[in-house]
């Protein structure tokens, strides 16, 4: 499609929309809280439960769903004198969610932080500078204004 050609979104079906599918996996509050904890290095069930206050059954369900979806994998461990347990590690599919969490955190820090500032920020391990997400096109242009992005039908799009 020519970049100047008008696009009428009402002509295209949203069946199979990958944003909707992604939200089926990520769209519940506790799911993102669990992912935040794993990205922050909290990988064990009891540590997550105590740190977040998520109800035990909710945490069990969210972790099972994230494992089933291939976002997390279970790794066995055993404390001396205890039974085998599992900690949760990110898979490559899970690591691909990191830019989403960075962007979500930036939005929350900008609009929802307490007057004293946000409780969490992400820094580059090597230099200590704060990390943020940016939008770039495939040709390498940095897009400063979200209005510079236009929706177009993808290869799997179907007309209504």
């Amino acid at each position: 499609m020519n970049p100047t050609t008008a696009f009428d979104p009402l002509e295209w079906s949203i069946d199979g929309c990958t944003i909707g599918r992604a939200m089926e996996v990520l769209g519940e509050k506790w799911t993102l809280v669990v992912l935040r904890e794993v990205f922050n290095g909290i990988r064990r069930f009891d540590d997550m439960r105590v740190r977040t206050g998520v109800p035990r059954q909710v945490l069990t369900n969210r972790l099972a769903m994230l494992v089933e979806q291939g976002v997390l994998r279970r790794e066995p461990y055993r404390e001396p004198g205890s039974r085998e347990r599992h900690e949760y590690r990110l898979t490559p599919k899970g690591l691909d969610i990191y830019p989403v969490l960075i962007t979500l955190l930036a939005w929350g820090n900008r609009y929802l932080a307490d007057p004293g500032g946000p409780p969490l920020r992400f820094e580059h391990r090597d230099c200590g500078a704060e990390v943020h997400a940016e939008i770039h096109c495939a040709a390498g242009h940095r897009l400063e204004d979200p209005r510079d992005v236009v929706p177009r039908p993808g290869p799997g799009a179907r007309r209504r």
Side-chain angles (χ1 to χ4, degrees):
M1 178 177 284
N2 182 319
T4 60
T5 304
F7 167 66
D8 182 358
L10 294 176
E11 292 180 14
W12 297 90
S13 172
I14 58 167
D15 293 342
C17 171
T18 54
I19 291 175
R21 288 178 180 174
M23 292 309 293
E24 287 176 12
V25 175
L26 303 174
E28 197 275 331
K29 169 192 168 183
W30 289 117
T31 301
L32 289 175
V33 169
V34 166
L35 287 171
R36 177 197 66 202
E37 293 305 299
V38 176
F39 275 109
N40 288 337
I42 309 300
R43 297 183 182 97
R44 296 180 177 181
F45 183 94
D46 286 334
D47 294 338
M48 280 186 227
R49 192 177 57 74
V50 168
R51 188 170 145 91
T52 64
V54 61
R56 180 177 291 280
Q57 191 60 52
V58 171
L59 181 56
T60 298
N61 293 345
R62 294 309 170 271
L63 288 168
M65 183 272 300
L66 290 167
V67 168
E68 179 183 309
Q69 290 292 325
V71 174
L72 297 177
R73 62 182 165 76
R74 291 167 38 124
E75 282 286 318
Y77 74 93
R78 183 187 309 265
E79 297 285 338
S82 296
R83 66 181 173 84
E84 182 178 277
R85 294 178 176 224
H86 292 91
E87 62 181 21
Y88 296 86
R89 300 280 182 154
L90 292 157
T91 64
K93 185 177 181 180
L95 286 167
D96 282 346
I97 297 169
Y98 210 38
V100 174
L101 288 180
I102 288 170
T103 302
L104 190 58
L105 178 81
W107 184 86
N109 287 352
R110 180 173 183 176
Y111 295 108
L112 304 172
D114 291 335
L120 179 66
R121 59 187 224 135
F122 294 119
E123 293 181 352
H124 182 210
R125 182 184 315 271
D126 290 344
C127 75
E130 193 161 353
V131 171
H132 64 275
E134 295 180 352
I135 300 172
H136 296 264
C137 72
H141 303 113
R142 181 174 181 212
L143 305 175
E144 301 283 340
D145 188 338
R147 290 171 289 227
D148 290 337
V149 178
V150 294
R152 298 281 189 235
R158 295 183 308 272
R159 286 195 181 270
R160 287 185 172 258

